[in-house]
Amino acid sequence: MSKSAQPPPPEIAPPPLPELAANCFPVNSIYVVVEVVWCPKHTNSCNSICDAPIKLDQGLLANRSATIASLLRNNPSENLSAFIKEIPLEREALELIARFCQGLEVKMTTDNVIPLICLSNYLEMTENHSPNNLLHNAIIFLEDEIIPSWDQTIKSLRASGCAFQQAADNGLLKLCIEALTDCALSDPALLGQPIMVERDSSSSKHLYYKNATRRKLFAGAEHLDTSSEDLASLPVKMYEPIIKGMIQGQVRQENIIGSLHQYLKKHAADVETIEAIERLLPASTFTCNNKYPLYPYTLLFEMYTSAVFHGASAECIASLENRIGKELYRSTAEDLLKLDLDVESLRQILKAYYANFTEANPAGLVTVAELMENYLVQVAKERETDVRSFTELAQMASSTSNVGDYRCSDGIYKAVDLYLDMHRELIESEKEEICRVLDFQKMSSEACQHAALNQKLPLRVVVQVLFVSQLQLKDNISKAVVEYPSISSVKHGQQRGSEEIRVVEEDQELDDEKEEIQGCHEKNCCGKKSKKKVGLWKGMKRKFGCMGSNDYEILHDCSCQTTKKNKKEHS
């Protein structure tokens, strides 16, 4: 028999169909040919890429999908190809749907389970429509194989691609967040190590390092593997809701901040990342009990610089200014200089500081006043600033110096002097405008003397300095005159008190001596020598006018050696 006369090969029988519901659609060999719009994995947005068409038997599809069945029932001529194209999906998920409808094996993995659940949920491939349906099987696989593992959950979310929004809408993302939160509560080190921040107290630093070491030692062995999946590998649209869920789940703040810091370092050039991290940061850089800082204060300056450079939203920049202002006392003039702030931004930062200041001790206000003066000096020295901007900055610095007993504002004068020295081309009116910020009554005498001889200052300003200096000199002299009598009276009172004590002591000596002299007259013992002297006491009584006639008679009539000596001294 010739080759051309050979019989055709037998046809291969199709695979057996799965059991369907009672009211199912018959297989009619009408196919839906779909040019799939799919997303490549590990991307943040869908890209329209045309690939080889996928054939779906609409009867088999309707038997598994309540959505397709409803469409065909209401309009048998419905173009299912256009309907399926509107679904944001990946090619692999659609291929798995086709295999499942044909009764072939569907291999579920970490990478495809979330898109598969989202698509089967959209098509309503539920148990109510058909037993042993795809949605139920996919959810069982997710719960048993993916959710219990930190690594598998992160991998599955990262591979979800275009299906992420559907996962968020149908509650699948919430389920994953709860699972990750439970893992982080049992082992916070999965998020990342806390940021080690230098502290003022060495004891608190030692305690903090000790706690961090203890957490590392007692962590589970399976979590010490450095190959564990990191949340920083997720796109920001996934990362932000996960961290929000962990914050609500009371995961340790220190580890959450460690994760945020790590994520920011990895995606520092992404403006969406900067805005998301700013929203996720706690209100204060310290813990709620102010025991130790959660993250360095300078991190806010780095974020602010990046936010301005990459064009972040106005809300993000304003919020960062508010955060910086709350703890402005921790800043340095160099920190503010690096930010390259305009006048309005600096005003907002100062406003945030004073709005949130609640301390009874004004030390923080004094610190900020000194900070503003040092910052103004640095601006005058290193920045090219126009007269108007510099004057506004100087006015803000001057307003901060009105704090309690803090009166010396030499820093502002130093800044003005430097600015005038750097801009010698200014006319007299511009110099006078700048010098209006000076308050000579708040300047030290050394600064006033320097200003009086400063040739860079306008003549009118020099006259004001001399006038204020004369007033200060007059006030100082008046105060000295008023204080002198009070000081003299105090000294005189102290001296008089000492003399009165001596008067009391010597009064007793006089009484004893008078008794001795009288006894000498009665016993004719004038030849006996007196045992005590009264010269000092007589002088004191003569000084105060207390010498009586009896005292002199007794002294003059007695012929003993003591009486003669006293009489001679008295005369």
Side-chain angles (χ1 to χ4, degrees), residues 145-166:
E145 303 296 333
I146 305 300
I147 293 300
S149 170
W150 170 273
D151 290 350
Q152 295 301 318
T153 303
I154 294 178
K155 288 180 180 179
S156 186
L157 285 172
R158 188 169 58 235
S160 61
C162 297
F164 171 75
Q165 188 56 49
Q166 288 179 296

Side-chain angles (χ1 to χ4, degrees), residues 324-366:
I324 293 172
K326 285 181 179 180
E327 302 176 27
L328 186 59
Y329 63 93
R330 299 177 59 190
S331 301
T332 63
E334 291 73 18
D335 293 333
L336 296 180
L337 205 64
K338 291 177 182 178
L339 294 182
D340 196 15
L341 297 167
D342 56 24
V343 176
E344 188 58 33
S345 297
L346 183 60
R347 182 176 287 108
Q348 292 302 319
I349 289 175
L350 284 172
K351 182 179 179 181
Y353 175 74
Y354 289 114
N356 292 277
F357 185 81
T358 57
E359 300 293 333
N361 189 350
L365 299 176
V366 174

Side-chain angles (χ1 to χ4, degrees), residues 213-466:
T213 305
R214 184 177 184 274
R215 287 196 299 274
K216 184 176 180 181
L217 290 175
F218 286 90
E222 67 278 11
H223 293 147
L224 294 178
D225 186 6
T226 56
S227 62
S228 297
E229 289 292 328
D230 188 2
L231 288 177
S233 63
L234 296 176
V236 67
K237 66 178 181 180
M238 298 182 187
Y239 180 78
E240 184 175 6
I242 291 174
I243 295 298
K244 283 183 178 178
M246 291 186 177
I247 293 174
Q248 294 175 357
Q250 303 298 316
V251 177
R252 291 179 63 91
Q253 275 189 316
E254 297 90 332
N255 298 91
I256 290 178
I257 295 298
S259 178
L260 292 174
H261 188 244
Q262 185 176 356
Y263 195 90
L264 182 63
K265 288 194 298 183
K266 189 172 183 178
H267 307 276
D270 183 16
V271 65
E272 293 185 7
T273 296
I274 298 172
E275 293 174 354
I277 297 301
E278 189 281 320
R279 290 191 293 266
L280 294 171
L281 281 176
S284 173
T285 61
F286 286 85
T287 55
C288 55
N289 54 6
N290 287 329
K291 264 182 128 178
Y292 50 83
L294 290 169
Y295 58 93
Y297 178 63
T298 53
L299 178 63
L300 298 176
F301 294 99
E302 297 172 7
M303 291 182 62
Y304 183 86
T305 303
S306 298
V308 173
F309 180 79
H310 294 291
S313 64
E315 293 79 7
C316 176
I317 294 177
S319 181
L320 286 171
E321 290 173 351
N322 185 66
R323 288 176 180 272
I324 293 172
K326 285 181 179 180
E327 302 176 27
L328 186 59
Y329 63 93
R330 299 177 59 190
S331 301
T332 63
E334 291 73 18
D335 293 333
L336 296 180
L337 205 64
K338 291 177 182 178
L339 294 182
D340 196 15
L341 297 167
D342 56 24
V343 176
E344 188 58 33
S345 297
L346 183 60
R347 182 176 287 108
Q348 292 302 319
I349 289 175
L350 284 172
K351 182 179 179 181
Y353 175 74
Y354 289 114
N356 292 277
F357 185 81
T358 57
E359 300 293 333
N361 189 350
L365 299 176
V366 174
T367 301
V368 171
E370 294 174 347
L371 167 67
M372 290 302 301
E373 291 186 7
N374 293 334
Y375 171 69
L376 188 64
V377 170
Q378 296 296 326
V379 169
K381 188 188 306 182
E382 302 181 16
R383 292 290 170 85
E384 186 62 35
T385 311
D386 58 73
V387 174
R388 180 178 178 183
S389 298
F390 181 81
T391 304
E392 291 181 0
L393 291 175
Q395 288 173 348
M396 283 189 283
S398 179
S399 64
T400 60
S401 65
N402 298 321
V403 182
D405 296 331
Y406 183 73
R407 290 294 180 266
C408 182
S409 60
D410 289 355
I412 298 176
Y413 169 71
K414 181 180 179 181
V416 170
D417 182 56
L418 285 171
Y419 188 83
L420 294 178
D421 187 57
M422 298 291 292
H423 300 80
R424 296 199 175 249
E425 74 281 358
L426 297 179
I427 60 177
E428 197 76 4
S429 60
E430 292 175 330
K431 293 180 179 180
E432 290 181 357
E433 180 182 356
I434 294 173
C435 292
R436 286 195 185 98
V437 301
L438 297 176
D439 189 346
F440 300 109
Q441 294 181 351
K442 296 180 182 178
M443 290 167 50
S444 64
S445 58
E446 293 81 3
C448 288
Q449 291 176 7
H450 185 278
L453 302 174
N454 193 343
Q455 297 181 358
K456 295 187 292 290
L457 297 179
L459 180 60
R460 183 179 300 178
V461 176
V462 174
V463 173
Q464 291 177 356
V465 175
L466 294 174

Side-chain angles (χ1 to χ4, degrees), residues 502-517:
R502 295 179 63 185
V503 166
V504 173
E505 292 176 351
E506 295 183 359
D507 193 18
Q508 181 65 36
E509 293 179 358
L510 180 61
D511 292 341
D512 296 340
E513 196 165 321
K514 287 169 68 176
E515 292 178 359
E516 182 180 355
I517 293 173

Side-chain angles (χ1 to χ4, degrees), residues 62 65-72 83 121-125 129:
S65 169
T67 301
I68 299 299
S70 177
L71 285 174
L72 294 178
F83 169 76
N121 179 70
Y122 186 84
L123 296 175
E124 295 183 84
M125 302 177 72
H129 182 71

Side-chain angles (χ1 to χ4, degrees), residues 18-248:
E19 296 182 2
L20 302 176
N23 52 350
C24 62
F25 289 81
V27 179
N28 51 15
S29 299
I30 299 176
Y31 292 96
V32 179
V33 180
V34 182
E35 296 272 343
V36 182
V37 180
W38 64 286
C39 299
K41 295 179 182 179
H42 313 301
T43 58
N44 297 338
S45 59
C46 291
N47 299 316
S48 298
I49 300 178
C50 295
D51 204 354
I54 297 176
K55 292 183 179 181
L56 293 172
D57 186 289
Q58 68 179 19
L60 293 178
L61 186 59
N63 289 334
R64 286 298 188 177
S65 169
T67 301
I68 299 299
S70 177
L71 285 174
L72 294 178
R73 188 179 299 112
N74 296 331
N75 189 359
S77 61
E78 180 72 26
N79 186 355
L80 296 182
S81 178
F83 169 76
I84 294 177
K85 282 184 178 180
E86 295 176 356
I87 306 173
L89 48 82
E90 293 185 359
R91 176 182 177 83
E92 184 180 358
L94 189 58
E95 289 178 343
L96 292 175
I97 293 291
R99 289 180 60 84
F100 180 78
C101 292
Q102 294 172 13
L104 301 177
E105 180 184 3
V106 175
K107 185 178 181 180
M108 298 182 190
T109 64
T110 303
D111 292 343
N112 63 29
V113 65
I114 289 182
L116 194 59
I117 291 176
C118 292
L119 182 56
S120 58
N121 179 70
Y122 186 84
L123 296 175
E124 295 183 84
M125 302 177 72
T126 63
E127 297 297 299
N128 293 332
H129 182 71
S130 174
N132 196 27
N133 214 340
L134 182 60
L135 180 60
H136 174 73
N137 295 337
I139 291 177
I140 293 298
F141 179 83
L142 180 73
E143 292 178 344
D144 294 344
E145 303 296 333
I146 305 300
I147 293 300
S149 170
W150 170 273
D151 290 350
Q152 295 301 318
T153 303
I154 294 178
K155 288 180 180 179
S156 186
L157 285 172
R158 188 169 58 235
S160 61
C162 297
F164 171 75
Q165 188 56 49
Q166 288 179 296
D169 295 338
N170 60 30
L172 195 59
L173 176 62
K174 182 179 180 182
L175 181 65
C176 294
I177 292 175
E178 291 175 352
L180 292 174
T181 301
D182 291 339
C183 293
L185 286 172
S186 61
D187 184 9
L190 288 171
L191 278 173
Q193 290 299 327
I195 306 174
M196 298 303 176
V197 185
E198 287 292 334
R199 293 168 184 75
D200 296 333
S201 173
S202 58
S203 61
S204 62
K205 182 198 298 187
H206 176 71
L207 178 64
Y208 188 58
Y209 275 89
K210 182 178 178 181
N211 288 343
T213 305
R214 184 177 184 274
R215 287 196 299 274
K216 184 176 180 181
L217 290 175
F218 286 90
E222 67 278 11
H223 293 147
L224 294 178
D225 186 6
T226 56
S227 62
S228 297
E229 289 292 328
D230 188 2
L231 288 177
S233 63
L234 296 176
V236 67
K237 66 178 181 180
M238 298 182 187
Y239 180 78
E240 184 175 6
I242 291 174
I243 295 298
K244 283 183 178 178
M246 291 186 177
I247 293 174
Q248 294 175 357

